[in-house]
């Protein structure tokens, strides 16, 4: 029996659950109807009903607005980014040998979390296993991990998790579905002659799938509360050419930690079990990255991941073209203005430290957030954006982040009535005329050295 035969029952099941959903009820009920409809249209049997804890966690996640993405593995020894194995043409046996040269002697979890907090971030995403298949945590299901295969022998994830929990800093985990190491991963397009190609036709996907699920069980059992699982890698196989069995895997994650959010970096429409939507190097709905807009913009929480050093995620010894604090500030205001979190990537060095230019830009962003954080954290998408900048909203307060001062006047076609306007810092009143379809602001002189002019409106909304 499939859902086509059961629409009534399914919708009844959903509607009985809805009253207990304390957070984002309307949004979630729309979402559930959307899922139910989709499932009915496709004749699928599954309808994902997020738990109460999960809905609460989504809200908390959105409120954080800014996180740090740490893309780190022993590939940092090669200093050519996280795709070094296949893109820098390192023979498979030479690549795996690099693990024995990975000794991040200056790694200190506290230093990292202190820096990320100083930057104003509220959570981090750590790469537990990237496409090279190397586990950056102690896994009993492989020896190709940081404890067994490197002289360092320390479970850096454990140290990070302890520090995050101690400092009440969110910990989310990146996990790639791609694997260039194991014999049982069904080879995809990203593998070339530098990946392990002694494979696979006779090996059923089930063996690799079981391995991943075992590791996910370790990650969600041994490291305390995990805010989210951040999956990556579906790009490796053409759409519909492979059944990854995600629904069961995502059910496992939610069974182990019901509040743990799931996101999958696939640039497609939200699928069963996913709790937030990822945009890679794009604001929601844009397509500067070239990954397309097929996923649309869902009602779920949104997160945009961006590189702090242009062109790379993992450490690259030749690339230090770092975004300035001002660029980061503008990026954060634009991202929040779209109602999305900004996940900003750093690629630590092989010695375990964060490259200095990245650390300095992060500190600069943190100084700005110290002053203006109230206009970013716990805000909603703003009512309006344009060539001049963007906005965020908190109740009846609308914060304008003016990044390109258009001159002395700014016309904003707002759908609400404006009661007052003032500079966010200092509170000096800003003159404005209320017109029928908006307001005309008389902008104060730009303040030297400030990358963004922040004006607070109180509105009728
Ligand atoms: C892509 C890349 C991967 C990177 C990730 C970050 O999937 O393959 O290397 O870590 O994007 O979004």
């Amino acid at each position: 029996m499939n859902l086509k035969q059961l629409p009534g029952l399914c919708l009844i099941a959903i509607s009985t659950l809805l009253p207990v959903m304390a957070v984002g009820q309307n949004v979630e009920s729309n979402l559930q109807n959307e899922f139910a409809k989709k499932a009915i249209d496709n004749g699928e049997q599954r309808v994902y009903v997020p738990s109460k804890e999960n809905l609460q966690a989504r809200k908390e996640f959105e409120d954080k607005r800014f996180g740090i993405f740490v893309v780190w593995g022993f590939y940092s020894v090669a200093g050519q980014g996280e795709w070094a194995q296949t893109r820098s043409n390192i023979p498979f046996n030479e690549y795996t040998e690099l693990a024995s040269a990975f000794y991040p002697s200056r790694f200190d979890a506290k230093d990292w979390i202190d820096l990320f907090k100083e930057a104003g971030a509220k959570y981090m995403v750590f790469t537990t296993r990237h496409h090279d298949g190397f586990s950056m945590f102690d896994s009993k299901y492989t020896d190709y991990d940081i404890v067994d295969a490197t002289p360092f022998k320390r479970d850096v994830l454990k140290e990070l998790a302890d520090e995050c929990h101690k400092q009440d800093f969110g910990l989310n985990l990146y996990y790639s579905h791609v694997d260039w190491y194991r014999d049982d991963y069904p080879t995809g397009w990203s593998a070339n002659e530098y990946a392990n190609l002694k494979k696979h036709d006779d090996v059923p996907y089930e063996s690799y799938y079981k391995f991943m699920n075992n590791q996910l069980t370790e990650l969600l059992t041994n490291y305390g509360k995990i805010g989210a699982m951040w999956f990556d890698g579906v790009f490796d196989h053409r759409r519909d050419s492979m059944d990854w069995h995600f629904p069961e895997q995502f059910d496992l994650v939610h069974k182990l930690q019901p509040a743990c959010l799931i996101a999958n970096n696939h640039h497609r429409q939200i699928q069963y079990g996913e709790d937030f939507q990822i945009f890679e190097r794009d604001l929601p709905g844009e397509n500067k990255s070239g990954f397309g807009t097929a996923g649309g913009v869902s009602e779920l929480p949104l997160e945009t991941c961006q590189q702090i050093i242009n062109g790379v995620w993992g450490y690259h010894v030749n690339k230090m073209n770092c975004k300035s604090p001002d660029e980061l500030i503008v990026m954060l205001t634009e991202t929040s203005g779209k109602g999305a979190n900004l996940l900003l990537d750093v690629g630590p060095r092989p010695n375990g430290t964060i490259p200095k230019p990245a650390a300095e830009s992060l500190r600069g962003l943190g100084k700005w957030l110290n002053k203006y954080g109230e206009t970013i954290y716990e805000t909603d998408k703003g009512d309006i954006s344009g060539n001049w900048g963007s906005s965020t909203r908190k109740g009846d307060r609308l914060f304008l982040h003016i990044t390109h001062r258009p001159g002395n006047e700014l016309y904003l076609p707002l759908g609400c009535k404006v009661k007052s306007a003032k500079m966010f810092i200092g509170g000096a009143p800003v003159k404005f005329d209320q017109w029928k379809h908006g307001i005309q602001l008389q902008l104060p002189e730009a303040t030297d050295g400030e990358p963004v002019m922040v004006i607070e409106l109180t509105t009728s909304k």
Side-chain angles (χ1 to χ4, degrees), residues 73-75 85 90-100 128-150 178-183 194-196 211 215:
F74 77 74
Y75 43 75
Q85 180 177 353
I90 306 178
F92 181 72
N93 289 333
E94 293 308 312
Y95 184 79
T96 55
E97 281 291 317
L98 288 181
S100 64
T128 58
R129 185 169 154 282
H130 212 279
H131 310 331
D132 67 353
F134 187 78
S135 300
M136 289 291 283
F137 62 102
D138 188 16
S139 173
K140 69 175 182 207
Y141 298 100
T142 179
D143 286 339
Y144 200 48
D145 72 38
I146 188 159
V147 172
D148 297 316
T150 78
V178 176
D179 194 302
W180 297 327
Y181 177 78
R182 289 176 62 91
D183 294 340
Y194 302 100
N196 174 13
F211 163 75
Q215 284 210 318

Side-chain angles (χ1 to χ4, degrees), residues 57-319:
R58 290 180 188 188
K59 175 79 184 95
E60 288 166 10
F61 172 71
E62 281 191 296
D63 283 349
K64 294 182 173 166
R65 275 295 176 257
F66 171 38
I68 303 283
F69 196 4
V70 180
V71 176
W72 197 41
F74 77 74
Y75 43 75
S76 55
V77 172
Q80 302 292 306
E82 77 286 357
W83 280 61
Q85 180 177 353
T86 52
R87 287 214 182 133
S88 299
N89 304 349
I90 306 178
F92 181 72
N93 289 333
E94 293 308 312
Y95 184 79
T96 55
E97 281 291 317
L98 288 181
S100 64
F102 186 48
Y103 193 92
S105 57
R106 288 165 63 192
F107 169 74
D108 183 335
K110 182 172 179 312
D111 285 353
W112 284 16
I113 309 303
D114 286 349
L115 171 67
F116 301 162
K117 284 183 105 168
E118 197 182 334
K122 302 289 182 188
Y123 65 100
M124 71 181 284
V125 178
F126 182 71
T127 46
T128 58
R129 185 169 154 282
H130 212 279
H131 310 331
D132 67 353
F134 187 78
S135 300
M136 289 291 283
F137 62 102
D138 188 16
S139 173
K140 69 175 182 207
Y141 298 100
T142 179
D143 286 339
Y144 200 48
D145 72 38
I146 188 159
V147 172
D148 297 316
T150 78
F152 197 53
K153 296 195 183 309
R154 277 161 53 187
D155 184 343
V156 290
L157 178 60
K158 181 81 178 70
E159 294 178 30
L160 283 166
D162 288 349
E163 193 60 34
C164 284
H165 299 321
K166 191 167 141 199
Q167 296 209 35
D168 195 23
F169 191 74
L171 176 64
N172 298 354
L173 304 180
Y174 170 106
Y175 191 87
S176 173
H177 285 114
V178 176
D179 194 302
W180 297 327
Y181 177 78
R182 289 176 62 91
D183 294 340
D184 55 0
Y185 171 70
T187 308
W189 71 258
S190 69
N192 54 15
E193 67 265 41
Y194 302 100
N196 174 13
L197 292 179
K198 63 169 181 1
K199 308 215 179 181
H200 300 294
D201 296 343
D202 52 341
V203 186
Y205 172 63
E206 277 60 42
S207 124
Y208 178 65
Y209 186 64
K210 195 167 167 203
F211 163 75
M212 288 195 293
N213 289 348
N214 282 335
Q215 284 210 318
L216 291 171
T217 304
E218 292 183 311
L219 291 172
L220 291 155
T221 309
N222 299 341
Y223 299 93
K225 180 175 162 21
I226 302 302
M229 287 305 308
W230 206 106
F231 291 105
D232 191 22
V234 284
F235 63 80
D236 210 26
H237 289 272
R238 254 187 320 110
R239 192 172 187 173
D240 301 331
S241 66
M242 160 123 176
D243 182 356
W244 299 86
H245 299 303
F246 287 147
E248 295 83 357
Q249 185 169 80
F250 294 175
D251 280 349
L252 171 71
V253 170
H254 286 137
K255 190 172 135 239
L256 291 165
Q257 294 203 20
C260 180
L261 306 181
I262 291 178
N264 201 354
N265 187 24
H266 50 44
H267 316 291
R268 302 171 191 168
Q269 277 188 349
I270 288 298
Q271 315 268 313
Y272 175 92
E274 295 173 14
D275 301 306
F276 68 93
Q277 187 177 8
I278 295 170
F279 298 84
E280 183 177 333
R281 281 178 289 135
D282 262 321
L283 289 176
E286 292 188 354
N287 186 24
K288 289 189 183 141
S289 65
F291 292 127
T293 53
V297 180
S298 74
E299 295 285 350
L300 293 181
L302 314 171
E303 187 190 63
T304 286
C305 58
Q306 299 278 4
Q307 301 165 334
I308 193 167
I309 293 188
N310 299 324
V312 279
W313 300 100
Y315 177 69
H316 198 300
V317 73
N318 305 114
K319 293 191 181 171

Side-chain angles (χ1 to χ4, degrees), residues 348-374:
R349 298 182 179 114
N351 68 6
T353 58
I354 311 284
K356 206 169 165 198
E360 278 171 5
S361 287
L362 284 177
R363 289 198 181 94
L365 174 57
K367 280 200 188 112
W368 185 86
L369 274 166
N370 267 339
K371 278 162 80 179
Y372 294 101
E374 202 186 338

